[in-house]
Structure formats: C-alpha cells, structure tokens
Amino acid sequence: MSHAEPDLLELLRLLAEDVPASELEAQAARLGSPDVATTARTLALRVRAVLDSRRRREVELSALVEVARDLASLRDPAGVLAAIVRRARSLLGTDVAYLTLFDRDRGDTFMRATDGSVSARFQALRLPLGAGLGGLVAQTRRPSWTSDYLSDTRFAHTGAIDDAVTDEGIVAICGVPLLVEDAFVGVLFASNRTARPFAHDEVALLASLATLAAVSLVQTRAAAETRETLAALSAAHATVGEQAAVTERAATAHDRFAQVVLHGGGVEDIASALGDLLAGWVVALDAGGRTAAVHGSADTGGLAGHPAVLAAHDSGRLAGAEGVWAVAVSAAGERLGTLVLGGRADLDAGDRRTVERAALVTALVLLFRRQSAQEDRRGRSDLLVDLLGHTGGRSGTQAESLVSRGLAVGVDLTADAVVLVVAPASPDQRRGLAMAAGAAAGAADERATLVAEHAGQVVVLIGACDPSAAACRLADRLGAAAGAVGAAGPLPPLAGLRGGHTEAARTATALVTLGCGRRGASAADLGFAGLVVGERPDVAGYVRSVLGPLLDYDERRGTVLADTVEAWFAAGCSPTAAAATLHVHPNTVSQRLERVGRLLGADWGLPDRALEVQLALRLLRLGA
C-alpha cells in the first residue's frame, strides 16, 4: 500500500459518514501531490453536493406529502388556510408566513391568515393590484421575491404598505400566486426579518405548497357541495337508502381522487379511478383532441369529433349524446383537454358530480405538472445563462456551484458537449422557438439538455459528440421557425462554452448571410467560410478535405499533380502555358489534369470547386 492510499481511504470514510465539507477539504489536503489533492477535493465536494441535493429533495417531498395528508383531513376552509401558512413558515424556516385573498368587489387583496406576525397594522393590510410585491404577484400571477424589500426599486411602493412592513420588521419577502379551479384567489408569502436571498428551490417549494393548498381548498369546497347536495336530496324526501348510497359514493369518489393527487398520480390514474367508480370506459383527450389515456375497452377513433365532446366544448359543462358523456377539463379559461365516459346507459346526479369532480382534479394535476415543468425549464435556462457568463476554468467556488447545479438537473458539466445557436426566422418567434428547441432536442437520443434565450438568439447545450449532425437534426425538427442553426464542439462547458458559443453564433449568422436558411452546420461544414467564422480555424483539416486524394497520390507515386494544378490555374487554365512553366510537353499537362479529375471529381475545375481548390493550394504553400 502506498503512503497516499490510507489518506485516500480516510477521505472516502469521511465522505461515507457525511462529515462537514471543511473536514473533507482538510483530509484532501493531506494527500500527496497538489494535483491529486485538488482533484480529490473537487470530486469529494461534488459527491457531497449531489448527496445534499438529493437528501434535501427527499426531505421536501416527504414534507409535501405530510402537508397534503394533513390538508386532506381538514373540512373547514379557515382551518385549511391556517394550516397552509403554518406549514409554509415551517418548511422554509422563515420568521413570518401569511396569505392574502382576492376581493372581487374591491379589486384588491386582503390579509386572511398569518403565522408569526406580531403587528396589528400588518395583519389588517390590504394590497391593491400592482402595488408592492404582493400586488405585483396578484397582477402577474407569477412568483416574485426580494432579499431587501424596502430598498428594492422593482416594486411600486406605497406609504401604507411600507409602513406596515416596517411595523412588522420584515426585510426579505417571497410570494407565489394561489390558483383555485380556474381563478386567482390569493397569494402565499414567506418572509424574514433579516436580509435573506431566496433560492430557486425555495421558491419552487413554496409554489408546490401553494398548489397543494389549491387542491385542498377545492376538496373542501367539493365536500361542502356534496353536503349541500345531500341536504337537497333530504329536503326532496329521498329515501334513507338513496341518501346513504349517494353519501357513500360521494365519499368514495372524494377519497379515490384525493389518493391519486397525494400519491403523485397522473391523468392515467384519474381515468382509471373514474372508470372503476362508474363501471364504464374512460378516455382522456388532450387539448388537441389526441388520446392521452384510456381505461377499459373504448374505441378512440374519431372520439374528438363525437357530438358529446363537441357539446361539452361549447357549453363548458358535462354533456351527453349517443350513450357517451364528456366534460371539458379547463383552468383559467384555458381548455386543457376532455374526459369522455361511455358504457353507461345513463348517469344520475351523483354520477354526474363524480365526472365533473374528476375533470376538476385532472385540471389541477395538469396545472401542477405544467408549473413543475416551468420551474425546471427556468432553472435550466438560468444555469445556461450563468455558464455563458462564466469566465473561470474548471475549478473554483463558482465552477463547483455550477457543477452541482448541473448534477441537480441531470446534466454533467464536466463531460464534453455541443453548443447550438438558433437564429430565429423573425424576432417575435424567439420565445416560442426556445420552447420548441428544448422539446426537439430533448426528444432526441442526446443526453440532458439546457436551453436559454441569449443575445436575441436561442442557445442549446446538449451532450452530443458530432456538432454537424446535432445542428442538422435540430434544424430539421424546428423547420421554418429557425432561420439557421450553428454548432460548435465537442467542448468542456465549464471552460470552453463562451468560445464555442461565439463560434456557433458566427456560424448561424454566416448561414443566414449566405442564404442557407433553415439549415444546420458547424464551422467545418462551411468550407473556406468556416475558416472566417470559426473560433479555432482548422486550416490543415480544410486543406486535407479539399486536396486529400491529390496529396496522397503525389506522396505515394512521387508525382507533382498538385504543382501541375497550381501552374494550370496560374496560366489562366491554359495547358500550353502551364507546360511552358513546368518545362514539359502540353500533352503531359493534359494527361496529368485527367488524372486530377479522376482523383478530385469531374467538377473540380468548375467555378465553385475551383475557388476551393485554389484557396487550399494557396494555404498549402503558406503552411509549407
């Protein structure tokens, strides 16, 4: 055993025992050479970062499941709101958490529930739409946060809001919108009495809690509606047996759908639950009328044009026709899909309520998935933008942070990758082009993908080895939306992304300038034009690509075909004049040129090829 091996084993033991990072760094420093110590420290900290990230995510998911279980057990909306703010404060570890609700009559939001607040003025605060951080969240329906609210000029400050915030002693604030069914109803906040930056994962955690709160509120409202329905049935002198049956079915449906949500189920699980509850087949269609999930023996052909489906789209409510029932899945005025039920002769009031509730839960699940996908895209975009601004090498605190963030989203920034720059066909297509590029690249066989808008173009980082092939694939998938796709690589993202991005951007611009739109290429694909736009021009490779067969023939046979071609061009393409320069017979020149045609192709003397050949010959002489 070498003298360094015990220290290395000790480093692994400390890593396995989950000791603090400072102890890992100290042990790494005891290794032999500085290079070995640096490498060991970097790898150990990277593994520690991955373990910490996974452990933190597991804790957050466990906490969310526990929150969802607690909320699902509450029947009073007021109790739900109190539980929401209490859990928000606990999960994010903030001093204060609070929730405001939207007042439709007055057009503002008012404080509804708080936890950790001590100021009566703050607890009675009302926020007009657009005023303060909460008003901005209410107006835009997007998360917003600040580490120092009073000094942050991004928000519209008012005296009443600033005085209340000062009275409570709040400094840092994070707010996320609360959406229930198809309407905005309020904002959930977490705040600190000292300056504190909110990380993206903390914002995402608060947003996830808000989504669970929305589901819980819907459940409590649905339960209230069920109780009202049962009361109406009782008032109409329904029999005791009928009341009991309706109650049992409503409770069963409520529990079944709640379990689907709490266990992270999808549209397929909701369709299966609805089919089991009502003993029929169920088909879920997406917004485009395509089949998203099927339960039971259903004929999905032409289902999108069925009269029941069309009637549900027109009315926005449950509709039936020809033994088929359909209800639109909608949220915030947007139709997300359709639930279709068949195999039942008729549906009573309780059955119809169950179908409508299934559509409501489906909308919440789809919205939750959309929000998660948006958070993931935003995190990947921010990471790529930070990478483009990274000026250091592969080591250092910033580089380690970037590597850890990459591993958290499944991207290894220490492995070679290809950078693609997509020039949009028109400026107004840039936003949609970024989403399309991410979907197109992610659907391929390449490894994890990063996509971002940068400097008026769309930048894509993929773990691929052939830049030309990757650019062509992406250009084909984007079609007319992309003006051109330039590529560079393979390159190490931490050290070479900025230079690779510059080369790929120049290549995309060159393609557009040369009239080669809707194409993908790397600098090497552009011939001599690639020598101009390339970050590291490969002159020798270019010469070989143009003259390779000719140079190989001369080397093997001891001939001078390259000299003959050069003399022929210099003589104005005259075999006689070239023969005089070479001191040979004109027939010898003609024979040599025939041999050149067999080696380079019959079109080598045509204008486009001739330009490439002459440039390659000139570069060959300069290199020699």
Side-chain angles (χ1 to χ4, degrees):
M1 178 181 295
S2 68
H3 68 280
E5 289 182 1
D7 291 332
L8 184 57
L9 293 175
E10 177 64 15
L11 178 63
L12 293 175
R13 186 188 66 77
L14 294 176
L15 185 61
E17 293 180 356
D18 198 21
V19 301
S22 58
E23 293 189 32
L24 293 177
E25 293 182 355
Q27 180 61 30
R30 299 188 183 98
L31 297 176
S33 67
D35 290 340
V36 172
T38 301
T39 302
R41 172 183 173 274
T42 301
L43 292 175
L45 292 178
R46 187 185 306 163
V47 173
R48 172 63 184 271
V50 173
L51 294 176
D52 289 345
S53 176
R54 291 179 178 174
R55 187 182 302 108
R56 182 171 61 254
R57 185 59 177 164
E58 290 174 358
V59 171
E60 291 175 354
L61 290 175
S62 298
L64 287 175
V65 170
E66 182 181 352
V67 170
R69 186 181 299 110
D70 291 346
L71 293 180
S73 66
L74 297 174
R75 299 172 60 87
D76 178 20
V80 170
L81 298 179
I84 291 169
V85 295
R86 184 171 62 253
R87 284 293 189 174
R89 182 186 178 197
S90 174
L91 286 178
L92 270 73
T94 57
D95 298 324
V96 184
Y98 50 100
L99 186 147
T100 60
L101 292 182
F102 179 49
D103 188 333
R104 294 186 178 276
D105 295 332
R106 296 181 55 170
D108 62 1
T109 60
F110 63 95
M111 197 72 70
R112 179 62 179 82
T114 64
D115 190 71
S117 171
V118 296
S119 168
R121 177 188 298 182
F122 183 78
Q123 296 167 11
L125 185 63
R126 302 188 74 96
L127 290 81
L129 296 185
L133 184 146
L136 181 62
V137 173
Q139 184 179 55
T140 63
R141 301 189 183 185
R142 294 177 60 85
S144 185
W145 59 92
T146 177
S147 59
D148 190 351
Y149 172 76
L150 293 177
S151 63
D152 199 327
T153 59
R154 294 178 298 163
F155 311 109
H157 291 268
T158 68
I161 296 177
D162 287 0
D163 289 345
V165 170
T166 301
D167 195 43
E168 186 63 59
I170 289 176
V171 177
I173 307 175
C174 176
V176 297
L178 188 64
L179 302 173
V180 176
E181 297 179 358
D182 60 347
F184 163 77
V185 296
V187 182
L188 177 62
F189 300 87
S191 59
N192 248 34
R193 294 191 173 95
T194 57
R196 164 184 174 167
F198 287 94
H200 285 88
D201 55 351
E202 292 179 313
V203 178
L205 178 60
L206 189 62
S208 298
L209 182 59
T211 301
L212 288 177
V215 173
S216 180
L217 286 174
V218 169
Q219 291 176 344
T220 55
R221 290 182 178 182
E225 291 175 358
T226 300
R227 290 192 294 272
E228 292 173 2
T229 301
L230 294 178
L233 290 173
S234 177
H237 306 288
T239 64
V240 174
E242 290 174 340
Q243 292 183 22
V246 171
T247 301
E248 182 178 358
R249 285 159 51 198
T252 300
H254 180 276
D255 293 342
R256 185 71 178 271
F257 293 140
Q259 289 300 315
V260 169
V261 174
L262 293 177
H263 288 86
V267 177
E268 302 84 356
D269 302 293
I270 297 174
S272 177
L274 180 61
D276 290 343
L277 288 169
L278 299 186
W281 58 259
V282 177
V283 175
L285 304 176
D286 65 13
R290 295 175 294 271
T291 302
V294 179
H295 174 77
S297 56
D299 182 8
T300 60
L303 198 57
H306 194 279
V309 174
L310 298 178
H313 292 172
D314 293 337
S315 66
R317 302 185 62 82
L318 179 68
E322 303 175 2
V324 173
W325 301 84
V327 61
V329 178
S330 303
E334 177 185 0
R335 184 165 58 84
L336 305 176
T338 311
L339 279 182
V340 187
L341 172 70
R344 290 285 304 267
D346 195 11
L347 299 178
D348 60 24
D351 294 336
R352 297 187 183 196
R353 176 68 68 184
T354 298
V355 176
E356 292 173 341
R357 186 169 301 163
L360 179 62
V361 175
T362 301
L364 291 172
V365 169
L366 292 176
L367 287 176
F368 185 79
R369 285 188 174 181
R370 176 185 293 182
Q371 183 181 24
S372 298
Q374 289 173 346
E375 292 294 337
D376 180 69
R377 285 196 299 268
R378 187 177 298 114
R380 290 172 175 271
S381 176
D382 292 344
L383 174 59
L384 183 52
V385 170
D386 291 343
L387 272 172
L388 290 169
H390 178 55
T391 58
R394 299 170 65 95
S395 60
T397 303
Q398 184 186 21
E400 292 175 0
S401 174
L402 292 171
V403 170
S404 298
R405 290 169 57 190
L407 292 174
V409 296
V411 180
D412 185 1
L413 297 180
T414 63
D416 282 350
V418 166
V419 60
L420 306 170
V421 172
V422 185
S426 61
D428 58 346
Q429 290 182 322
R430 187 171 68 249
R431 179 64 57 85
L433 187 61
M435 297 184 65
D445 295 331
E446 294 96 355
R447 297 188 293 275
T449 306
L450 299 179
V451 181
E453 296 178 40
H454 183 72
Q457 296 174 317
V458 176
V459 184
V460 181
L461 185 71
I462 59 176
C465 296
D466 187 341
S468 299
C472 290
R473 282 195 298 269
L474 185 57
D476 289 342
R477 292 181 181 126
L478 294 178
V485 180
L491 50 83
L494 281 178
L497 184 58
R498 297 188 71 182
H501 168 260
T502 300
E503 178 177 323
R506 289 174 180 171
T507 302
T509 302
L511 286 171
V512 174
T513 303
L514 295 172
C516 301
R518 303 184 186 178
R519 281 186 52 191
S522 65
D525 299 323
L526 299 183
F528 70 88
L531 299 178
V532 179
V533 302
E535 184 73 10
R536 298 178 300 276
D538 184 7
V539 176
Y542 172 74
V543 171
R544 293 292 306 176
S545 68
V546 176
L547 301 176
L550 198 65
L551 299 177
D552 291 341
Y553 188 89
D554 280 347
E555 183 177 356
R556 288 196 308 268
R557 304 293 182 89
T559 56
V560 288
L561 294 183
D563 294 340
T564 302
V565 172
E566 189 172 18
W568 182 71
F569 278 125
C573 302
S574 168
T576 302
T581 301
L582 297 171
H583 305 291
V584 297
H585 194 277
N587 289 342
T588 301
V589 173
S590 298
Q591 292 171 0
R592 291 178 180 177
L593 294 179
E594 290 178 4
R595 174 65 65 181
V596 171
R598 288 194 291 271
L599 293 171
L600 298 184
D603 63 343
W604 73 274
L606 297 179
D608 287 345
R609 287 288 308 279
L611 177 60
E612 296 275 0
V613 172
Q614 290 181 79
L615 179 59
L617 287 169
R618 181 63 59 87
L619 292 174
L620 180 64
R621 298 301 174 222
L622 290 174

